[in-house]
Amino acid sequence: MRLYLQKNHYGDYGDGHAGGLEQDANQDQQKQWPLWEVFMRSKQGLDHKHAGSLHAADATMALENARDVYTRRNEGVSIWVVESKHIHASDPDAAAEFFEPANDKIYRHPSFYDLPDSLKHM
Amino acid sequence: MLQHTVQTCIHSDTQLKYLLQLADNALILSHRNSQWCGHGPILEQDIALTNIALDQLGQARNLYQYAALLLTEKTGITTTEDQLAYLRDTGEFKNCLLAELPNGDWGQTVMRNFLISSYQFFLYQELQYSNDGQLKAIADKSIKEITYHVRWSADWVVRLGDGTAESHARMVQALELLWAYTGEMLEPCDYELPFIAKQSSFIKAAWEAKIAAVLAEANLIHPTNDWMQSGGKKGIHTEHFGYLLAEMQFLQRAYPGLEW
Amino acid sequence: MDQTANQLQDQFQQRIDLEQKIEPKDWMPEKYRQTLIRQISQHAHSEIIGMLPEGNWITRAPSLKRKAILLAKVQDEAGHGLYLYSAAETLGISRDEMYEQLHSGKAKYSSIFNYPTLSWADMGAIGWLVDGAAIMNQVPLCRTSFGPYARAMVRVCKEESFHQRQGFECLLQLSKGSEVQRQMCQDAINRWWWPSLMMFGPKDDESPNSKLSMQWKIKRFTNDELRQKFVDMIAEQIKLLNMVLPDPELTWNEQTKHYDYGAINWEEFKQVIQGNGPCNKERLEARKKAWADGAWVRDAAIAHATKQAKRKAAAQTYSAKETE
């Protein structure tokens, strides 16, 4: 019995879906290397942050390209790449219903509470 | 990996030749790779290969600077890295023929890089055990860069060997052309012997295993011809090399002794 | 235009006026999108074509240090092109389409790169004058209204600052050198000065797209404003080189507190843009050749990725069956 163990990290997207596997209706599209988004941890302990995009034929190459394009000046210690088409984004037209309801929940913020100055360590 | 120490040469002439050979290989390969800058098959890879050229140039400079220091100490006349790079003629350059051949297409370029970087990888691993502190330091720094060069170039050899019919055919051709120049790297010459006599057979075996593994993954048949071209290490180069130096050394030759 | 379109238009302009950035998925007037695609891709093409004149000296750099600097700089330009193409791609055009426009001659790029690099001093002059002029244009673009463009420009400007410095240092070295080197330096300045001034584009009253671009805050200063800033800066900096700018009319104007400068040869500018510069054909041919020569490489990479993905999928199915 053979078992293929797969180890998944945050930011790992199945490379089975990457590169040219998914047949594109448009012939020209198929010839282009897909677009990838690059996220970089600038130093240990910080979040990965969007750095930019690039083209690559597959995930391995996308990581190498990200290293070659976006870390030439010591900008990163860790890289995530994800094919751009796998990113789901909120709709800017829905921004009002998405984000504005949070505007008036002022009681969620520590400054809402007026406490005596003599109270320490809070 | 062999754990024993690489011997330091007591004879500084030999040491100098050895350093220059390492430096010349790095510089000439960097020079060839740099010719791709602005002409690569896609931006991302243009940038990638230039990174490699910059690494190799950095390695060459470290080695030339060290050689220049030894030369200055020995002769009492100040010598610089630029004198070593720009004022020696073809016969004094010690790089392997493989490094100086024209780039050819992208396939030939990545194949050449793969063949040389793999050799450098096993060689520099050994040099990390050198009891010459300076050389060890250079090897320590270079090995990380070279590890990436091997990874990048091997990926490309596999990608193109196992890509389309055309790319496969081009890689077969590239391998056929370059193979006859690989032997020279692996056979130590007189001035190399004091440094890697014991290690050379290990390096050769490790290199062969690495090459065989990657070629197999790339669906490329391992060449069988074993007649090897040589001469570079002794200063006997290809016809291409004179033009390379004429171009590279032009300003230093046309306007001698100036600071740039 | 119907009511909603007008409303959207107004809302859009309001956001711009409030200095809010526009992001790719936001509603934007079609003309805004097209203007940006044209400007960003033109900018990207300039970076890529701009690699060629300097690339011409990579193999002939006179010292190992200069070789490393030049190589890193030309490589940075590839990076800048890449950042900019990526920014344009968020607007719904692919990089390949943009290349297509460049190669067919439909898209323009900065006319300065159609001039030849004839001596080593040109590397210094390009860094100092051409990159200097580019930075003048680019720094305000870090605040341009389209988010991805502004972010790309922040990255570009961060990297660009070493370019101008290395250029000036290169000329400084020559200016302190032998007679031959000083001549080389002056000659390069003479050849690159006027084309650098043309980089800012036509005079304001003849710049058709400027008004709308200013209103949309794609552009934040006019061509003439930036050109004047550049002249004022260079006219001072050149004193450190002990060289002269090739303009007898260049004088400090006490009233305007700016340098006055002579008339720019706009006929030359027009001709170079139309394809009659010394190197237009060579530059475009070099790019077309690189792209065509690389086609088999790009195709092979996709073919290999496809094969690998299929193999992996097959292996996974196989292992799933075996573990059942």
Side-chain angles (χ1 to χ4, degrees):
Chain A
M1 188 174 74
R2 287 160 73 193
L3 276 174
Y4 289 81
L5 287 180
Q6 257 185 323
K7 197 171 148 199
N8 285 304
H9 302 279
Y10 291 116
D12 268 357
Y13 288 76
D15 38 358
H17 300 288
L21 182 68
E22 284 171 40
Q23 294 298 317
D24 238 310
N26 187 338
Q27 280 291 325
D28 278 349
Q29 286 294 316
Q30 254 187 59
K31 285 195 148 191
Q32 283 187 36
W33 290 5
L35 190 66
W36 299 73
E37 300 303 320
V38 178
F39 300 83
M40 209 135 57
R41 189 198 293 290
S42 59
K43 65 177 193 192
Q44 217 57 30
L46 297 183
D47 285 329
H48 284 77
K49 192 168 167 264
H50 188 234
S53 345
L54 48 77
H55 289 270
D58 54 41
T60 309
M61 195 206 275
L63 281 170
E64 290 180 6
N65 287 354
R67 177 261 190 199
D68 281 317
V69 172
Y70 288 105
T71 70
R72 283 173 292 135
R73 287 175 170 79
N74 262 323
E75 293 98 330
V77 295
S78 164
I79 302 170
W80 289 346
V81 290
V82 53
E83 220 186 310
S84 309
K85 67 181 179 196
H86 293 313
I87 301 247
H88 299 268
S90 63
D91 178 0
D93 290 340
E97 72 219 49
F98 258 58
F99 307 114
E100 279 176 28
N103 275 352
D104 65 350
K105 311 285 192 299
I106 45 175
Y107 45 82
R108 284 185 182 275
H109 300 277
S111 55
F112 177 74
Y113 301 92
D114 195 12
L115 297 173
D117 290 347
S118 53
L119 181 73
K120 301 290 180 205
H121 308 297
M122 192 175 280
Chain B
M1 190 197 312
L2 297 183
Q3 297 293 323
H4 52 78
T5 315
V6 176
Q7 297 203 340
T8 323
C9 190
I10 2 80
H11 196 272
S12 63
D13 237 20
T14 314
Q15 189 185 6
L16 198 65
K17 280 183 183 166
Y18 187 64
L19 288 174
L20 285 176
Q21 189 247 155
L22 293 174
D24 292 345
N25 272 320
L27 176 66
I28 300 307
L29 186 56
S30 163
H31 186 90
R32 284 300 190 203
N33 285 333
S34 77
Q35 290 175 318
W36 274 101
C37 186
H39 307 275
I42 191 163
L43 272 182
E44 284 81 352
Q45 294 301 327
D46 203 307
I47 294 171
L49 186 53
T50 304
N51 272 341
I52 292 175
L54 280 167
D55 286 345
Q56 289 159 340
L57 181 54
Q59 290 160 14
R61 291 187 66 190
N62 285 326
L63 291 159
Y64 283 132
Q65 283 165 9
Y66 181 33
L69 187 76
L70 294 180
L71 214 56
T72 305
E73 278 171 5
K74 190 183 159 198
T75 59
I77 305 162
T78 311
T79 309
T80 65
E81 53 169 358
D82 288 332
Q83 286 169 346
L84 293 173
Y86 290 92
L87 299 179
R88 284 180 303 146
D89 202 353
T90 48
E92 293 162 279
F93 270 80
K94 295 171 180 34
N95 57 282
C96 297
L97 301 179
L98 184 56
E100 73 196 42
L101 293 176
N103 280 327
D105 64 12
W106 182 257
Q108 191 178 318
T109 297
V110 297
M111 181 63 87
R112 184 231 305 264
N113 273 284
F114 172 61
L115 296 170
I116 297 183
S117 299
S118 301
Y119 170 72
Q120 286 177 325
F121 176 76
F122 295 111
L123 172 66
Y124 278 65
Q125 250 185 3
E126 294 301 328
L127 295 180
Q128 287 187 285
Y129 293 92
S130 170
N131 58 11
D132 175 343
Q134 188 60 45
L135 186 56
K136 179 188 170 351
I138 295 173
D140 282 342
K141 182 179 177 295
S142 308
I143 194 80
K144 293 174 200 147
E145 298 167 346
I146 292 168
T147 306
Y148 189 79
H149 305 168
V150 174
R151 176 198 175 107
W152 178 88
S153 56
D155 280 356
W156 267 111
V157 168
V158 171
R159 212 172 267 139
L160 298 178
D162 181 48
T164 60
E166 180 182 2
S167 73
H168 181 79
R170 284 176 183 260
M171 291 312 271
V172 169
Q173 212 177 2
L175 186 59
E176 201 177 286
L177 175 76
L178 299 177
W179 188 253
Y181 296 91
T182 55
E184 189 185 17
M185 282 189 309
L186 305 165
E187 295 305 323
C189 69
D190 54 358
Y191 58 77
E192 288 178 281
L193 275 175
F195 297 90
I196 50 162
K198 287 183 198 152
Q199 295 85 347
S200 64
S201 59
F202 166 77
I203 293 173
K204 189 176 177 190
W207 180 86
E208 282 170 347
K210 174 75 183 173
I211 300 303
V214 172
L215 292 186
E217 206 188 331
N219 277 327
L220 293 169
I221 294 165
H222 201 289
T224 47
N225 61 320
D226 52 7
W227 173 253
M228 292 292 163
Q229 301 293 335
S230 66
K233 285 179 176 178
K234 297 275 182 201
I236 302 166
H237 291 274
T238 62
E239 285 184 347
H240 309 290
F241 195 52
Y243 292 98
L244 186 153
L245 286 193
E247 191 175 339
M248 184 174 87
Q249 298 180 336
F250 154 65
L251 277 166
Q252 290 280 359
R253 299 289 192 183
Y255 307 102
L258 301 182
E259 290 284 322
W260 300 89
Chain C
M1 204 181 284
D2 60 28
Q3 194 58 36
T4 38
N6 267 332
Q7 266 174 9
L8 284 169
Q9 196 94 266
D10 287 347
Q11 278 169 7
F12 176 81
Q13 190 58 49
Q14 265 173 23
R15 288 186 62 184
I16 300 266
D17 294 342
L18 288 167
E19 296 286 330
Q20 283 181 10
K21 293 282 183 253
I22 305 301
E23 294 295 341
K25 291 185 78 174
D26 294 343
W27 185 89
M28 61 185 81
E30 194 46 32
K31 182 100 200 293
Y32 178 81
R33 182 189 301 276
Q34 292 311 327
T35 305
L36 276 171
I37 288 179
R38 187 175 48 81
Q39 183 173 333
I40 301 173
S41 63
Q42 196 168 311
H43 194 162
H45 298 325
S46 301
E47 297 282 354
I48 302 310
I49 296 270
M51 296 172 77
L52 299 170
E54 288 174 283
N56 184 33
W57 281 86
I58 288 174
T59 54
R60 289 180 292 169
S63 73
L64 296 179
K65 182 183 101 176
R66 294 284 174 204
K67 199 179 173 75
I69 293 171
L70 183 61
L71 194 50
K73 176 182 189 278
V74 179
Q75 184 203 37
D76 272 352
E77 281 152 17
H80 298 171
L82 192 154
Y83 308 151
L84 288 160
Y85 283 127
S86 300
E89 280 180 281
T90 65
L91 291 160
I93 184 169
S94 72
R95 198 197 287 174
D96 283 17
E97 283 173 84
M98 289 185 267
Y99 276 159
E100 183 74 41
Q101 293 177 349
L102 174 67
H103 296 161
S104 70
K106 191 184 156 211
K108 299 279 178 243
Y109 55 87
S110 186
S111 60
I112 191 105
F113 302 117
N114 293 315
Y115 290 86
T117 51
L118 303 177
S119 81
W120 170 252
D122 288 22
M123 298 304 101
I126 289 182
W128 179 44
L129 296 175
V130 177
D131 292 332
I135 292 171
M136 279 285 163
N137 266 319
Q138 289 169 353
V139 168
L141 286 175
C142 294
R143 295 190 298 122
T144 195
S145 60
F146 185 58
Y149 192 20
R151 291 191 287 274
M153 289 319 300
V154 168
R155 193 173 270 277
V156 169
C157 285
K158 239 190 245 170
E159 299 186 356
E160 193 85 41
S161 62
F162 111 75
H163 295 182
Q164 200 191 6
R165 292 173 73 94
Q166 68 82 32
F168 192 80
E169 192 221 28
C170 170
L171 292 184
L172 195 60
Q173 181 75 44
L174 294 177
S175 74
K176 290 191 267 184
S178 70
E179 186 50 34
V180 176
Q181 286 174 310
R182 281 195 297 276
Q183 275 172 18
M184 225 182 245
C185 181
Q186 182 62 59
D187 165 65
I189 293 169
N190 292 349
R191 281 182 291 108
W192 290 95
W193 170 247
W194 290 108
S196 301
L197 289 189
M198 296 175 197
M199 280 177 73
F200 295 94
K203 292 207 292 211
D204 290 347
D205 45 20
E206 283 156 35
S207 177
N209 300 317
S210 274
K211 197 171 160 266
L212 207 49
S213 288
M214 295 284 283
Q215 184 196 323
W216 281 335
K217 296 191 181 169
I218 296 174
K219 276 175 88 157
R220 315 215 46 144
F221 294 97
T222 70
N223 295 353
D224 285 334
E225 282 169 352
L226 290 169
R227 188 165 17 239
Q228 184 64 56
K229 256 174 106 172
F230 178 71
V231 172
D232 291 347
M233 178 181 86
I234 298 297
E236 287 299 315
Q237 289 176 350
I238 197 164
K239 293 176 184 167
L240 287 169
L241 294 176
N242 280 318
M243 298 280 147
V244 287
L245 292 171
D247 179 1
E249 291 173 52
L250 187 86
T251 41
W252 175 251
N253 183 329
E254 199 42 58
Q255 260 136 36
T256 59
K257 299 285 177 200
H258 288 294
Y259 277 90
D260 292 337
Y261 53 95
I264 293 170
N265 183 348
W266 291 112
E267 181 55 26
E268 178 181 322
F269 177 70
K270 213 174 81 191
Q271 289 297 331
V272 177
I273 286 202
Q274 280 171 5
N276 296 322
C279 301
N280 293 57
K281 291 182 185 68
E282 275 169 76
R283 300 288 186 244
L284 210 51
E285 278 312 309
R287 282 311 312 163
K288 279 154 81 171
K289 183 177 187 310
W291 188 243
D293 288 354
W296 71 272
V297 178
R298 297 189 300 274
D299 290 350
I302 283 288
H304 174 70
T306 311
K307 284 186 197 176
Q308 281 294 87
K310 280 183 182 154
R311 282 177 200 139
K312 199 169 173 179
Q316 275 165 355
T317 324
Y318 177 65
S319 73
K321 273 184 190 155
E322 289 222 330
T323 51
E324 266 169 16

